[in-house]
Amino acid sequence: MDSFGFGSFLRNRKLESYVYTSSEQTMELTSKLVAKVREAAESQLRRDVYVEDNGWFAVLVSWIRIVACFLCMMVTTFVWAVIMVLLIPWPYERIRQGNIYGHVSGRILMWILGNPVKIEGKEYSQEKAIYICNHCSPIDVILIMWLVPTGTVGIAKKEIIWYPLFGQLYVLANHLRIDRSNPVAAVQSLKEAARAVVRNQLSLIIFPEGTRSKNGRLLPFKKGFIHLALQSKRPIVPIVFSGTHCAWRKGSLHIRPTPLTVKFLPPIRTDNWTADRIDTWVELVHDLYIKHLPESQRPVPPEGSNT
């Protein structure tokens, strides 16, 4: 009887120990899961909201990064400028070399700046297409240089030639410039660009807002990229930049280590588009950006709007 009672006692102790151990493991697993969820939530919050750091050390590091970027661009620009001069008789080979310059320089510059970059939808980045992207930071240009496919020509305002290093190589690389002060000439330049894109099997990159946003919020789109699509029948691939306005703001020389997101959206077919619905197509693409941008970069709704 005593033996039976002692055995029962041992079994109860083992069961209690097993239950206690299982409970501890469950609690540990739950706490790990909660920690991961919290970490993911905080990570997402950091993507949308950047905590300002204007301390002297952060500013010093920022200046060192800028100087390093400038020195790097001096070297790569000199090397490719020599290549471009040798290729003057072959204008479309210069476009290709300009893209290779961008891939090399853009990747190095982003490494120097130190911003973590998350790229989504990269399977759409090799299309023969009209690439468009929102513009709110100098980093946007670096990302474009790095990520657009070989055989892509850019369209920019004619004043870009005066940008140190980059502007001169832009012209040497046979990219396109338009005079925005003359709307008639600008439209004609876009038509000629579309014909050249189709004739030489090129892609094209353009900022549909026409200028850089000061606060990161999406601006209204110009109609130029729609005219290009109508003329070339190329699909439109939207590229959505998130976080670049916090990383390097307009008019600032302080670079912040904000996480960045680059999202390539699926191509939008334009071969059935017609000129009588230009405003509809502009609104369609603009709404896509509003849908995929974080709240902090969406346009401010008009007063009295319920949205």
Side-chain angles (χ1 to χ4, degrees):
M1 184 72 178
D2 290 340
S3 176
F4 176 80
F6 182 72
S8 177
F9 172 77
L10 287 177
R11 285 194 297 272
N12 288 337
R13 290 291 294 174
K14 286 180 181 178
L15 178 61
E16 183 182 355
S17 175
Y18 174 79
V19 171
Y20 181 76
T21 304
S22 298
S23 177
E24 274 192 327
Q25 289 175 343
T26 303
M27 290 178 65
E28 184 181 357
L29 184 62
T30 303
S31 63
K32 286 182 179 179
L33 183 61
V34 169
K36 285 184 178 180
V37 171
R38 183 179 298 156
E39 183 182 351
E42 289 174 351
S43 175
Q44 183 61 41
L45 182 63
R46 284 194 297 269
R47 289 183 183 277
D48 291 346
V49 180
Y50 175 76
V51 179
E52 189 70 44
D53 182 5
N54 288 319
W56 68 268
F57 184 74
V59 173
L60 176 62
V61 170
S62 175
W63 275 92
I64 291 172
R65 292 183 190 276
I66 290 174
V67 171
C69 285
F70 187 77
L71 292 175
C72 170
M73 281 201 70
M74 285 183 65
V75 173
T76 56
T77 300
F78 176 78
V79 171
W80 261 273
V82 172
I83 294 173
M84 299 294 186
V85 170
L86 295 174
L87 292 173
I88 282 179
W90 301 278
Y92 293 100
E93 183 59 31
R94 280 186 278 138
I95 292 175
R96 181 176 174 277
Q97 284 298 321
N99 296 145
I100 295 172
Y101 159 81
H103 297 163
V104 173
S105 299
R107 183 181 288 271
I108 294 173
L109 294 180
M110 289 308 304
W111 177 79
I112 292 172
L113 294 178
N115 297 86
V117 182
K118 179 183 179 183
I119 303 174
E120 300 177 8
K122 200 168 183 180
E123 64 270 22
Y124 306 124
S125 67
Q126 299 300 318
E127 303 278 340
K128 290 290 183 198
I130 297 172
Y131 292 88
I132 62 172
C133 53
N134 54 310
H135 187 25
C136 51
S137 168
I139 291 181
D140 302 336
V141 177
I142 299 174
L143 288 170
I144 284 173
M145 289 166 57
W146 171 26
L147 295 173
V148 296
T150 302
T152 300
V153 64
I155 295 185
K157 57 186 180 181
K158 67 175 185 177
E159 292 83 4
I160 196 172
I161 192 174
W162 303 115
Y163 289 17
L165 302 178
F166 179 79
Q168 293 76 49
L169 198 69
Y170 180 92
V171 175
L172 269 177
N174 203 36
H175 290 299
L176 307 170
R177 294 180 297 149
I178 60 172
D179 183 0
R180 295 192 304 187
S181 64
N182 186 337
V184 176
V187 171
Q188 184 59 34
S189 296
L190 290 175
K191 290 180 178 179
E192 291 174 4
R195 287 194 288 268
V197 163
V198 174
R199 185 170 60 248
N200 296 283
Q201 290 297 301
L202 299 172
S203 293
L204 195 142
I205 180 73
I206 187 171
F207 294 119
E209 296 161 289
T211 189
R212 196 191 315 168
S213 171
K214 294 180 179 179
N215 56 11
R217 292 192 178 274
L218 190 67
L219 299 174
F221 284 178
K222 309 291 186 184
K223 299 178 182 179
F225 75 103
I226 301 295
H227 286 292
L228 287 166
L230 291 171
Q231 291 289 324
S232 67
K233 300 301 180 183
R234 284 273 194 270
I236 294 173
V237 175
I239 308 173
V240 183
F241 291 147
S242 303
T244 59
H245 66 297
C246 292
W248 193 347
R249 295 172 183 167
K250 185 173 183 178
S252 171
L253 291 177
H254 185 182
I255 301 170
R256 300 158 177 85
T258 314
L260 311 177
T261 300
V262 179
K263 186 184 296 184
F264 289 85
L265 301 185
I268 304 169
R269 287 186 56 187
T270 64
D271 51 1
N272 60 347
W273 284 12
T274 53
D276 58 333
R277 299 187 62 193
I278 287 180
D279 291 336
T280 302
W281 310 132
V282 172
E283 184 178 359
L284 180 148
V285 180
H286 194 264
D287 286 348
L288 264 180
Y289 272 84
I290 294 174
K291 176 181 176 182
H292 288 276
L293 281 168
E295 187 65 39
S296 61
Q297 287 188 248
R298 294 174 184 171
V300 178
E303 290 186 13
S305 171
N306 294 325
T307 57

